[in-house]
Amino acid sequence: MPTALITGITGQDGSYLTELLLEKGYTVHGIVRRTSLLERSRLRHLFADPEVYEKRLFLHYADLDDATTLRRVILSVAPDELYHLAGQSHVGLSFEIPESTCQLTSLSTLRILEIIRDLANPPRFYHASSSEVFGSPKESPQNEDTPFRPVTPYGYAKAFATQMVGIYRNSFGIHAVNGITFNHESPRRGENFVTRKVCRAAAAIKKGLTSHLSLGDTSARRDWGWAPDYVKGMWLSLQHSPAGDYVLATGRQHSVQDVVEAAFATVDLDWRQHLKRDERFVRKADPCNLVGDPGKARRELGWEVSIDFEEMIRRMTEAELENLG
Ligand SMILES: NC(=O)c1ccc[n+]([C@@H]2O[C@H](COP(=O)([O-])OP(=O)(O)OC[C@H]3O[C@@H](n4cnc5c(N)ncnc54)[C@H](OP(=O)(O)O)[C@@H]3O)[C@@H](O)[C@H]2O)c1
């Protein structure tokens, strides 16, 4: 059965992708970085499974800026498929830490491409690109041919990495794919992302643990989808030949306000009594008009989303209620 190597295995997407690949019979190897805490909560259920951990799921220490270790892990695992998901994934935070965001996002992708370029049998390579490469696009919806106009350090770093993937595909014949994914969410989303923050607050208010939710601009609009659908798209995109780039999106925009209303409706509360505007959370430069056209992924990969926005926010809010006991 095939072997996959995942960078960013402990993240939202890495954990769902691991489950999907294990279900499909893959042996899965993941790269983890050294941290002071050993808790890898999104994979905890897999560590507890004696049929899986260290039988079909293996972890290796490496950091994205440590080329020699990355090379050693890639050589020893010799994966058939390499999913490069690791990076600093928070767009707003990229204004606070632009240099490390670019180091981790742009240069690590180039570093891995350079390593696999030298291999006699390079793995198929998936790069987690982002809709933020479009930034402030002149056309809407965006597809694989839409020009990049990033407006954040994160978007610029992803644009560099995405174009490098195209260069290595065309120049060296590497089977390399960019998944240009629009925002995707789940109960495993990082706690400082707005959808998770809203669902968590609605649940905490319902439980009487807090009384209000502070947000910046609730009119900001995004194309939000369900993360497990997107990891399926990642896998499908690597199975397709010839390699290409794919926009993974729902094709529908919703506002932060819609997230608020759907989350508070789930817990049967009136959002007007709990929402406060806080200027500290207003983004410096906010990408606008981002909505994806997933037509190519539908046609070539048969990719479809399985649930809509309201159902996604309902599931996320219910998961928060459960977390809070
Ligand atoms: N989710 C979205 O809506 C979305 C949309 C477009 C693109 N993307 C991109 O897709 C990828 C996966 O997203 P996600 O939502 O799963 O992100 P996430 O939950 O933040 O996970 C990021 C992963 O990268 C790892 N990582 C960060 N810095 C590292 C380093 N220096 N060395 C090794 N590993 C490192 C993290 O490890 P730790 O657990 O140790 O922190 C974590 O496993 C990211 O590249 C993101 O930018 C995501």
Side-chain angles (χ1 to χ4, degrees):
M1 292 307 286
T3 298
L5 176 62
I6 304 175
T7 74
I9 191 168
T10 52
Q12 169 188 259
D13 292 1
S15 63
Y16 284 120
L17 181 63
T18 301
E19 288 169 9
L20 179 79
L21 296 178
L22 288 171
E23 268 168 39
K24 291 188 178 298
Y26 282 60
T27 299
V28 178
H29 294 256
I31 284 177
V32 292
R33 57 178 165 170
R34 195 267 163 187
T35 55
S36 63
L37 291 175
L38 276 183
E39 176 75 358
R40 299 192 173 103
S41 56
R42 296 179 178 114
L43 298 174
R44 194 190 295 131
H45 57 298
L46 297 175
F47 297 150
D49 186 338
E51 298 303 313
V52 170
Y53 188 50
E54 294 196 330
K55 300 244 169 33
R56 294 173 51 224
L57 170 63
F58 302 88
L59 299 183
H60 307 264
Y61 276 110
D63 206 285
L64 287 179
D65 56 13
D66 180 347
T68 53
T69 312
L70 284 174
R71 178 183 294 276
R72 188 162 53 244
V73 172
I74 292 171
L75 287 177
S76 74
V77 171
D80 302 294
E81 297 173 9
L82 199 168
Y83 295 86
H84 177 40
L85 312 181
Q88 193 294 94
S89 66
H90 198 281
V91 179
L93 207 54
S94 75
F95 285 100
E96 310 296 322
I97 48 170
E99 190 176 329
S100 62
T101 299
C102 292
Q103 279 283 350
L104 294 179
T105 301
S106 305
L107 290 185
S108 75
T109 307
L110 175 58
R111 196 168 284 137
I112 295 173
L113 287 168
E114 270 294 284
I115 294 169
I116 65 176
R117 172 189 165 186
D118 290 339
L119 301 179
N121 291 308
R124 292 189 168 200
F125 178 77
Y126 175 90
H127 168 239
S129 180
S130 162
S131 55
E132 299 281 326
V133 298
F134 300 126
S136 222
K138 289 197 170 149
E139 57 194 63
S140 199
Q142 296 83 46
N143 63 28
E144 294 76 7
D145 297 323
T146 304
F148 293 175
R149 302 180 75 228
V151 295
T152 63
Y154 172 92
Y156 189 85
K158 286 286 186 194
F160 173 98
T162 305
Q163 290 179 324
M164 276 297 170
V165 168
I167 289 170
Y168 274 64
R169 179 170 63 219
N170 297 332
S171 306
F172 304 114
I174 293 173
H175 189 108
V177 169
N178 284 304
I180 307 176
T181 55
F182 283 62
N183 296 51
H184 43 280
E185 318 296 309
S186 75
R188 297 186 196 170
R189 189 62 147 142
E191 286 172 16
N192 52 355
F193 287 83
V194 70
T195 49
R196 179 86 194 273
K197 181 176 166 181
V198 171
C199 298
R200 202 173 164 78
I205 293 169
K206 181 70 179 178
K207 295 271 182 185
L209 299 173
T210 183
S211 58
H212 69 273
L213 160 67
S214 298
L215 290 176
D217 178 13
T218 59
S219 67
R221 298 176 74 78
R222 289 287 183 282
D223 179 334
W224 276 296
W226 178 235
D229 290 338
Y230 288 61
V231 302
K232 192 168 177 201
M234 294 174 194
W235 176 76
L236 285 169
S237 69
L238 266 203
Q239 312 314 306
H240 190 268
S241 287
D245 295 342
Y246 292 94
V247 162
L248 299 176
T250 69
R252 292 187 178 190
Q253 264 188 343
H254 288 89
S255 63
V256 175
Q257 183 64 34
D258 295 333
V259 178
V260 171
E261 291 180 20
F264 279 79
T266 305
V267 294
D268 211 15
L269 287 174
D270 182 357
W271 61 269
R272 291 172 198 82
Q273 294 177 8
H274 303 285
L275 184 64
K276 288 186 183 168
R277 184 178 164 93
D278 189 330
E279 294 303 322
R280 286 175 307 156
F281 298 126
V282 176
R283 203 61 82 73
K284 290 178 187 65
D286 204 21
C288 54
N289 221 6
L290 288 185
V291 58
D293 169 7
K296 183 181 172 196
R298 271 198 209 117
R299 284 189 306 277
E300 293 190 3
L301 310 178
W303 182 73
E304 295 287 347
V305 296
S306 66
I307 63 170
D308 65 12
F309 171 82
E310 284 75 18
E311 173 64 10
M312 175 178 80
I313 299 299
R314 189 184 66 73
R315 287 189 193 183
M316 289 177 67
T317 310
E318 285 180 349
E320 296 300 338
L321 284 171
E322 205 170 304
N323 287 344
L324 292 173

